[in-house]
Amino acid sequence: MASHRKSRPTGTRVAGIRTPALATAALTSVALLSQSANAAPEADDKPSLEEVEKKVDDLYRQAGSATEKYNAAKEKTAKQRKRADALIDDVAKRTQKLNEAREELGSFASAQYRTGAAAPDTATFLLADTPQDYFDQTQLMDRMTGRQKVAVDDYIAQQSETMTKRQEATESLEALTESQGDLKTAKATVQRKLADARELMSKLTAEEKARLAAIEKEKQEEAARKAAELARQQAAQQQAQEEAAQQDGGSSSSGSAGSGSSTSTAPADSSYATKADKALAFARAQIGKPYVWGAVGPGSYDCSGLTQAAWKAAGVGLPRTTYDQVNAGTTVPLSQARPGDLVFFYDDVTHVGIYIGNGMMIHAPKPGTYVREESIYYDGESAIHSVVRPA
């Protein structure tokens, strides 16, 4: 007799219970969702606060580098524009003289043609591209008076010089166009880097910004400690030098006691100290003014614009960019840095400040900040590139 029982669907057992296939699929989905939920934190690519800080600092440094390239391109463009303008003016004057020489020759040719003293081809030569070749071929020079020959020589010389100056003007304009392209590229790079930095900062929460400020404060406190240590080292070095000078002075005095005379000499570098005081006085007067890339004052500055203006106030001309300022003086050890010296930063020499003593400097740090006094260790000891005495 046939069985009327329905066959049970196959499935899997969970805790000893056979489950239908549909339930098995549901359990599988739940398991996968659970795995995804557990894996979500690991898949989160959001950078840490320290990584954001490093990225922002890097972007500001890249913007600083692009700013110095912009400054160099701007200075080069200005010089090339001045040269191009001068050449164009020169070409215009020479063209005028050439036209005057052409008119004089034309009057000679017309007079000769009217009197029959020369063949009609005398006037035709005025249309020639190379007058000298025309004269050689037709022997026209043999039929000219002394005054006419002088006029022809003058015309040939004027034409040659005008063509040369026109070529120089063309090349100068091409160089100017290239420099303007470099200027535009550098400007776009600065703006892009600053925009990227602002975008990163805008994504931080209020709590993250507060933590970032705390990290920055710790960095500044460490920089201040390093500055104080450098100040102690420099003070000890100065004291040792003064004691050595006193000993030398005492020996000199005792040696000349019999003559009843004494010698007093001013420091050999007093001239530098006087200039440095003027440069520092100017720099201090700029404290609080905003950093603006490419600015040279008087309302705002970038880093090299500030140092250039400060030393200009002391009667010393510095180049515009950090790349050139670093070579505009004598390099000295950091331990021997004196007020007025220029302190350069980073391997690519893209930042500069003016040393005021005790491990401190005045500088225009970066966009969004103001000219201020700060430790030369503001970005760590490794960031210091060199110290240069500019006068």
Side-chain angles (χ1 to χ4, degrees):
M1 183 174 174
S3 172
H4 295 287
R5 289 182 181 176
K6 293 182 179 180
S7 60
R8 294 180 179 177
T10 60
T12 58
R13 288 181 176 274
V14 178
I17 302 175
R18 187 184 299 275
T19 60
L22 186 59
T24 301
L27 287 172
T28 303
S29 298
V30 170
L32 290 173
L33 287 172
S34 177
Q35 292 175 3
S36 299
N38 292 334
E42 297 178 2
D44 189 359
D45 293 331
K46 184 177 179 179
S48 67
L49 195 59
E50 289 75 13
E51 290 172 334
V52 171
E53 181 195 28
K54 184 178 183 306
K55 181 64 176 176
V56 170
D57 286 345
D58 286 345
L59 285 169
Y60 277 128
R61 278 193 54 197
Q62 291 169 24
S65 177
T67 295
E68 291 306 310
K69 291 179 180 177
Y70 170 84
N71 291 338
K74 186 176 181 180
E75 187 175 43
K76 184 178 180 181
T77 299
K79 290 179 180 178
Q80 289 177 333
R81 180 178 287 111
K82 185 176 180 180
R83 172 172 167 75
D85 289 344
L87 285 169
I88 290 171
D89 288 342
D90 190 29
V91 168
K93 292 176 182 177
R94 290 180 182 279
T95 300
Q96 178 63 30
K97 290 182 179 180
L98 183 64
N99 290 337
E100 292 172 357
R102 184 187 294 271
E103 290 174 2
E104 184 177 6
L105 286 177
S107 65
F108 284 142
S110 298
Q112 287 179 330
Y113 180 64
R114 287 195 302 271
T115 61
D121 58 4
T122 306
T124 308
F125 99 95
L126 294 172
L127 302 176
D129 291 332
T130 55
Q132 186 63 62
D133 291 343
Y134 182 84
F135 295 145
D136 292 341
Q137 293 171 6
T138 62
Q139 286 132 16
L140 183 61
M141 292 293 285
D142 294 337
R143 301 197 297 274
M144 287 187 170
T145 66
R147 184 180 174 191
Q148 291 170 334
K149 289 179 180 179
V150 170
V152 169
D153 289 341
D154 182 59
Y155 175 80
I156 293 173
Q158 291 286 352
Q159 185 185 57
S160 176
E161 291 177 3
T162 301
M163 291 177 64
T164 298
K165 291 299 179 181
R166 282 176 179 168
Q167 180 62 30
E168 289 181 11
T170 299
E171 293 173 355
S172 182
L173 286 172
E174 290 174 350
L176 176 60
T177 300
E178 182 178 353
S179 294
Q180 288 174 329
D182 293 340
L183 185 65
K184 185 177 180 180
T185 299
K187 181 177 181 179
T189 301
V190 175
Q191 292 172 330
R192 185 174 64 254
K193 297 300 182 182
L194 294 179
D196 289 346
R198 285 193 293 267
E199 182 181 3
L200 275 174
M201 292 298 293
S202 68
K203 294 179 179 179
L204 296 178
T205 64
E207 181 182 356
E208 288 173 328
K209 290 179 180 178
R211 286 172 54 201
L212 200 59
I215 292 173
E216 180 64 21
K217 184 178 179 181
E218 290 178 2
K219 285 175 59 177
Q220 294 305 315
E221 289 173 349
E222 175 62 20
R225 284 193 292 271
K226 286 183 175 291
E229 177 59 29
L230 177 62
R232 285 191 291 271
Q233 293 175 2
Q234 291 178 334
Q237 186 181 58
Q238 180 68 20
Q239 183 177 0
Q241 290 174 348
E242 290 175 355
E243 290 175 353
Q246 288 175 355
Q247 290 176 358
D248 291 342
S251 299
S252 176
S253 297
S254 62
S256 59
S259 63
S261 64
S262 61
T263 303
S264 175
T265 57
D269 54 2
S270 61
S271 174
Y272 178 78
T274 300
K275 294 176 182 178
D277 286 345
K278 292 180 180 179
L280 287 172
F282 179 93
R284 286 192 177 94
Q286 313 314 307
I287 290 175
K289 293 183 179 180
Y291 175 105
V292 174
W293 63 272
V296 294
S300 58
Y301 297 89
D302 63 14
C303 65
S304 56
L306 176 64
T307 52
Q308 183 189 47
W311 272 102
K312 182 179 180 181
V316 177
L318 291 181
R320 174 65 182 94
T321 68
T322 54
Y323 310 130
D324 293 325
Q325 288 183 9
V326 74
N327 296 314
T330 304
T331 302
V332 297
L334 178 59
S335 61
Q336 297 177 22
R338 296 180 51 197
D341 291 350
L342 302 180
V343 185
F344 294 89
F345 297 86
Y346 311 119
D347 292 339
D348 54 358
V349 197
T350 53
H351 189 66
V352 63
I354 183 167
Y355 192 63
I356 60 177
N358 296 326
M360 302 293 288
M361 67 178 174
I362 298 174
H363 71 147
K366 61 185 178 182
T369 63
Y370 298 84
V371 176
R372 66 193 183 198
E373 290 187 12
E374 194 163 26
S375 167
I376 61 173
Y377 298 102
Y378 80 107
D379 203 19
E381 187 172 1
S382 62
I384 299 175
H385 177 274
S386 58
V387 178
V388 171
R389 191 157 296 157

